[in-house]
Amino acid sequence: MKNLPVVPTTAPVQLGRRLRAIRERSRLTVEQLARYSGLSKGFLSRVERDLTSPSVASLVTICQVLRVAPGDVLNSPDVTLVRLDEAPHISLGGDGIVDQLLSPPGQQDLQIVRATVAPGGHGESEKYTMDCEVEALHVISGSFTLITESEEYSLQAGDTVTFPGTEPHTWANPGQDEAIVHWILCGRRSPRSLPASTSAP
């Protein structure tokens, strides 16, 4: 089973913005949150504007009032733009292929990999699975073949095939032109940490 590598990021976590959104959904004012939590209104205001970071104890207290788990706040996704020319290169194996991670670094529930595959490029001879619940393959351009245990799927530009992450598979570019495909991985099956292996773009 393969995992996507961890890609370090220096982007700050927008914790305050997340807390403010949860507070507003809970229909609480800053004054009410201050009264129930025992924290000052000024401190909470600075936290929500990401001008200061709460201590672990303060975060736990705020989350208790908001009735949300601290882990859910920390792991909540932000709006993130990943430009293609800045997307990190990763290596998932195979010959004649260049992989780039298009989804935000650290996001694990949904991961998108753009693969540029040279004519004749192919995956390993031994079929593999990915650490996800559902995997989808979408062909942007060129021709591409997905090979599973029971069938070979010949795909052209615009085609999409979806299959369980538990399905052993490999792939090939049988055409004479470069193929560009997107691999989309949804959910994770394993709680294990991902290996920290990256390569520069």
Side-chain angles (χ1 to χ4, degrees), residues 31-52:
E31 290 82 358
Q32 289 172 319
L33 180 57
R35 184 167 66 252
Y36 299 148
S37 67
L39 301 170
S40 74
K41 177 183 173 183
F43 171 74
L44 292 172
S45 178
R46 290 193 300 275
V47 168
E48 289 192 353
R49 288 179 290 155
D50 286 306
L51 298 179
T52 188

Side-chain angles (χ1 to χ4, degrees), residues 28-125:
L28 289 176
T29 65
V30 176
E31 290 82 358
Q32 289 172 319
L33 180 57
R35 184 167 66 252
Y36 299 148
S37 67
L39 301 170
S40 74
K41 177 183 173 183
F43 171 74
L44 292 172
S45 178
R46 290 193 300 275
V47 168
E48 289 192 353
R49 288 179 290 155
D50 286 306
L51 298 179
T52 188
S53 297
S55 66
V56 173
S58 295
L59 177 61
V60 170
T61 299
I62 295 169
C63 289
Q64 286 175 337
V65 174
L66 297 177
R67 297 184 179 181
V68 63
D72 292 342
V73 178
L74 293 169
N75 295 327
S76 176
D78 283 318
V79 177
T80 306
L81 170 64
V82 178
R83 297 193 184 278
L84 179 58
D85 59 356
E86 298 173 355
H89 288 230
I90 62 176
S91 178
L92 291 175
D95 294 323
I97 183 170
V98 175
D99 293 314
Q100 288 178 273
L101 183 62
L102 300 185
S103 50
Q107 181 170 304
Q108 298 176 354
D109 290 337
L110 174 66
Q111 298 172 310
I112 305 172
V113 176
R114 177 186 175 94
T116 303
V117 188
H122 58 85
E124 297 96 327
S125 57

Side-chain angles (χ1 to χ4, degrees), residues 94-97 116-124 143-145 147 170-175 177-179:
D95 294 323
I97 183 170
T116 303
V117 188
H122 58 85
E124 297 96 327
S143 57
F144 202 74
T145 300
I147 305 164
T170 189
W171 50 268
N173 176 5
D177 298 316
E178 178 181 85

Side-chain angles (χ1 to χ4, degrees), residues 86-170:
E86 298 173 355
H89 288 230
I90 62 176
S91 178
L92 291 175
D95 294 323
I97 183 170
V98 175
D99 293 314
Q100 288 178 273
L101 183 62
L102 300 185
S103 50
Q107 181 170 304
Q108 298 176 354
D109 290 337
L110 174 66
Q111 298 172 310
I112 305 172
V113 176
R114 177 186 175 94
T116 303
V117 188
H122 58 85
E124 297 96 327
S125 57
E126 183 175 346
K127 297 179 181 66
Y128 62 91
T129 62
M130 294 298 295
D131 183 12
C132 64
E133 294 289 342
V134 179
E135 188 170 355
L137 168 65
H138 177 71
V139 181
I140 304 296
S141 63
S143 57
F144 202 74
T145 300
L146 176 70
I147 305 164
T148 68
E149 294 278 48
S150 59
E151 193 168 348
E152 292 190 10
Y153 298 87
S154 297
L155 308 171
Q156 302 298 321
D159 292 343
T160 305
V161 60
T162 304
F163 51 97
T166 54
E167 178 68 36
H169 62 281
T170 189

